[in-house]
Amino acid sequence: MNTSLADSVGTYEIAGKKIARLGFGTMRLTGLGIWGEPEDRAECVRVVRRAVELGVQLFDTANSYGPYISEEILREAIHPYPEDVLIATKAGLTRNGPDVIKQGDELVRLGPKAWPPVGRPEYLRQEALMSLRRLGLDQIDLFQLHRVDPKVPLEEQVGELKNLQDEGKIVAIGLSQVTVEQIEQARRIADIATVQNRYNVADRSSTDVLDHCTRHGIGFIPWAPVAAGRLARPGGPLDHIAAAHHSTSSNVALSWLLQRSDVVLPIPGTSKVAHLEENLAASRLRLSEAELAELDAAA
């Protein structure tokens, strides 16, 4: 294994594996609107293989990415998986089409309408079994409830994941886009290894969840980790800190996350090798206390 990434960003243990805290999200290994085949599948395969070469150990995917496409690309790229690689997948969101469509020359985002939640226990079980098949695994390291289905009691959704865990089909259980109350409700049923909520330097709506995870030693996987909005504008805080380090705004945003808490596990994603290498350069960037304070105050 290339240990330089783990040495730079530190490690976190999930499912008995110590992994580098900077991972890779596979959502972009798909077509427009996270739907269908990517424009260049061979490049996507190269991205995953290059990530392993550079020391990435956490690969986060989901049945709904494509759907199924990103799981299939992971298997094509690196199966049989290196022993120190952790595969995390999810179920609980279904798809009824792309979440971005073209209307003339413009792209229109459909948002949550394209991702209906389904948390019925029989569905979650079915999708876990199908993910095992697509990924070529006997056991999933980390299986996450992609969304809480408001039509199904949370106890039933987490309870089915606990059943799968007891049967040896999954090792660790995670949640996604949840509240502190839901985390504690779930923890009464099963050990919760990770929580995956939207969180970045510009969107800190899940600060209470991150703080809760930090206190209780639960891994926190921020999705959309490099979204920066107005903070990345020319002359803005991310821009001038990046310039001082001869870096990029995206890498400053990732470094801020890594320094925010030892339980944070960012998973920036891309479909291009060059962009992957650029993102992983964040591991070598260390922000000063003054820079961290400036970004903390900028939200």
Side-chain angles (χ1 to χ4, degrees):
M1 184 199 78
N2 181 336
T3 60
S4 60
L5 183 64
D7 291 341
S8 297
V9 301
T11 61
Y12 188 84
E13 185 170 331
I14 302 171
K17 296 182 178 182
K18 285 189 176 180
I19 54 172
R21 288 202 299 125
L22 187 55
F24 180 80
T26 68
M27 188 172 71
R28 297 300 171 188
L29 304 181
T30 59
L32 178 66
I34 317 169
W35 185 259
E37 282 285 332
E39 184 176 324
D40 188 343
R41 187 182 179 108
E43 175 73 355
C44 290
V45 169
R46 285 192 290 270
V47 167
V48 175
R49 290 174 178 166
R50 182 61 176 150
V52 172
E53 290 174 355
L54 293 173
V56 172
Q57 295 168 280
L58 170 60
F59 289 86
D60 179 84
T61 187
N63 65 337
S64 55
Y65 297 164
Y68 313 139
I69 299 296
S70 70
E71 289 185 329
E72 293 169 355
I73 288 176
L74 266 181
R75 179 175 183 168
E76 179 182 346
I78 56 172
H79 186 275
Y81 306 102
E83 289 186 3
D84 57 359
V85 160
L86 186 145
I87 303 296
T89 193
K90 302 182 282 292
L93 286 178
T94 60
R95 300 300 301 279
N96 57 24
D99 68 2
V100 174
I101 60 173
K102 279 189 175 181
Q103 291 187 350
D105 294 331
E106 295 186 0
L107 295 179
V108 178
R109 297 193 175 276
L110 303 180
K113 293 187 293 184
W115 304 76
V118 175
R120 296 191 306 274
E122 63 272 22
Y123 173 76
L124 297 175
R125 172 173 290 271
Q126 167 191 295
E127 292 307 301
L129 297 178
M130 294 304 292
S131 286
L132 282 167
R133 180 184 297 182
R134 281 190 296 272
L135 289 163
L137 290 168
D138 295 322
Q139 191 176 55
I140 296 170
D141 293 318
L142 175 62
F143 192 72
Q144 303 157 94
L145 181 63
H146 208 162
R147 286 296 185 278
V148 175
D149 185 345
K151 298 178 181 178
V152 179
L154 180 59
E155 293 87 350
E156 293 184 15
Q157 298 173 70
V158 177
E160 191 60 31
L161 270 56
K162 180 66 164 63
N163 291 338
L164 290 163
Q165 184 182 53
D166 291 343
E167 295 165 16
K169 294 179 174 65
I170 64 178
V171 182
I173 296 171
L175 306 172
S176 181
Q177 212 53 39
V178 288
T179 65
V180 169
E181 181 181 1
Q182 288 170 328
I183 295 169
E184 288 308 294
Q185 189 178 349
R187 290 179 74 203
R188 291 194 284 271
I189 302 160
D191 289 333
I192 300 301
T194 60
V195 168
Q196 185 168 161
N197 277 24
R198 180 181 172 92
Y199 187 80
N200 51 60
V201 70
D203 181 354
R204 306 184 198 181
S205 55
S206 286
T207 294
D208 60 333
V209 173
L210 171 54
D211 291 344
H212 186 78
C213 289
T214 300
R215 287 193 299 271
H216 293 277
I218 299 169
F220 184 87
I221 304 173
W223 61 272
V226 298
R230 62 178 179 80
L231 300 183
R233 69 188 184 279
L238 284 168
D239 181 57
H240 83 75
I241 292 173
H245 288 273
H246 306 287
S247 186
T248 66
S249 293
S250 294
N251 282 0
V252 172
L254 286 169
S255 183
W256 178 82
L257 282 171
L258 286 164
Q259 293 179 244
R260 175 67 173 77
S261 168
D262 289 341
V263 305
V264 172
L265 307 156
I267 50 167
T270 180
S271 60
K272 304 295 182 184
V273 170
H275 191 203
L276 165 76
E277 294 173 347
E278 178 184 300
N279 283 338
L280 293 182
S283 66
R284 300 188 294 272
L285 176 60
R286 192 75 181 173
L287 303 179
S288 69
E289 291 299 323
E291 290 168 336
L292 291 171
E294 180 181 355
L295 292 174
D296 289 345

